[in-house]
Amino acid sequence: MLLSAANMSKTELIIVGKIVAPHGVRGDVRIVPLTEFPDRFHELKTVIVDDVGQLKLETAKQHNKFILLKLAGIDNMNDAERLRDKLIKIERKDLVKLPEGKYYIFDIIGLNVFNETGELLGVITEVLQPGSNDVYVVQQEGKQDLLIPAIKQVVKKIDISGKQMVVKLQEEMD
């Protein structure tokens, strides 16, 4: 199972929210969480705000579908207004630890996919989430994209650090 907690960038920062508006007069900001773990904001000590840098997170409160954040140094509505539409990011070390066998989508994209005999099938370029299980889109050189269901019968091994996945294709399963 995959979790789309966020998008990765080359600097190992993960997007977890977007500031959509100031909230009140004391500099709080209202954010839309872009994570499957909105409770993470209660545990974070710092966040990285686009074009601003790292800021200390003073408080985080749930407010309907939004999270209200109080960031150090943002002390009035004008300061908060300047943050409108900025993305909130965290470092990889601050990611929620996932249980065994679960992965973030951004860790799956870019994996080399091999069949059980070691033949390179291609590279995962996208993860579709149509319903009951995810589907990996594998770009093959000179061929049509291969769609691989993310189920145990097909995906035999995922090695994130080795950047590879081993699969047993459906026609090989018979």
Side-chain angles (χ1 to χ4, degrees):
M1 180 180 166
L2 297 171
L3 298 174
S4 57
N7 301 318
M8 280 300 281
S9 73
K10 290 182 173 126
T11 57
E12 292 291 289
L13 296 179
I14 297 97
I15 298 168
V16 293
K18 181 178 181 179
I19 299 171
V20 292
H23 183 83
V25 296
R26 292 183 308 235
D28 290 3
V29 292
R30 185 179 316 145
I31 71 157
V32 172
L34 301 175
T35 174
E36 292 185 20
F37 303 105
D39 290 344
R40 78 169 64 240
F41 292 100
H42 301 289
E43 309 297 321
L44 291 171
K45 305 284 186 243
T46 62
V47 294
I48 297 150
V49 178
D50 269 353
D51 303 324
V52 176
Q54 188 167 347
L55 295 174
K56 183 175 183 245
L57 181 58
E58 293 180 354
T59 63
K61 295 180 262 188
Q62 186 77 35
H63 181 69
N64 300 323
K65 64 180 181 174
F66 301 102
I67 306 284
L68 303 179
L69 299 182
K70 175 63 178 106
L71 301 167
I74 308 301
D75 298 319
N76 59 56
M77 193 182 317
N78 290 335
D79 291 344
E81 180 62 42
R82 285 192 275 282
L83 299 179
R84 184 186 293 267
D85 295 327
K86 303 250 185 245
L87 295 174
I88 295 179
K89 301 174 183 177
I90 60 171
E91 295 179 28
R92 180 176 272 280
K93 69 178 178 59
D94 293 324
L95 282 173
V96 171
K97 302 293 182 242
L98 297 177
E100 183 75 27
K102 298 199 186 293
Y103 305 92
Y104 285 108
I105 287 176
F106 55 77
D107 282 333
I108 294 292
I109 291 175
L111 292 183
N112 292 309
V113 179
F114 297 89
N115 65 16
E116 290 184 304
T117 62
E119 176 188 355
L120 177 63
L121 301 174
V123 177
I124 297 176
T125 58
E126 187 178 358
V127 177
L128 306 175
Q129 296 183 300
S132 62
N133 60 270
D134 294 345
V135 177
Y136 304 134
V137 178
V138 179
Q139 186 176 40
Q140 302 184 99
E141 197 169 317
K143 296 182 186 176
Q144 187 175 355
D145 287 350
L146 181 63
L147 301 178
I148 298 178
I151 56 176
K152 288 180 184 178
Q153 297 91 324
V154 176
V155 178
K156 297 303 180 182
K157 179 182 175 190
I158 296 176
D159 179 2
I160 298 297
S161 61
K163 295 216 153 282
Q164 64 180 346
M165 177 184 291
V166 176
V167 298
K168 181 173 187 170
L169 297 178
Q170 297 290 21
E171 60 267 12
E172 296 173 354
M173 292 176 68
D174 297 330

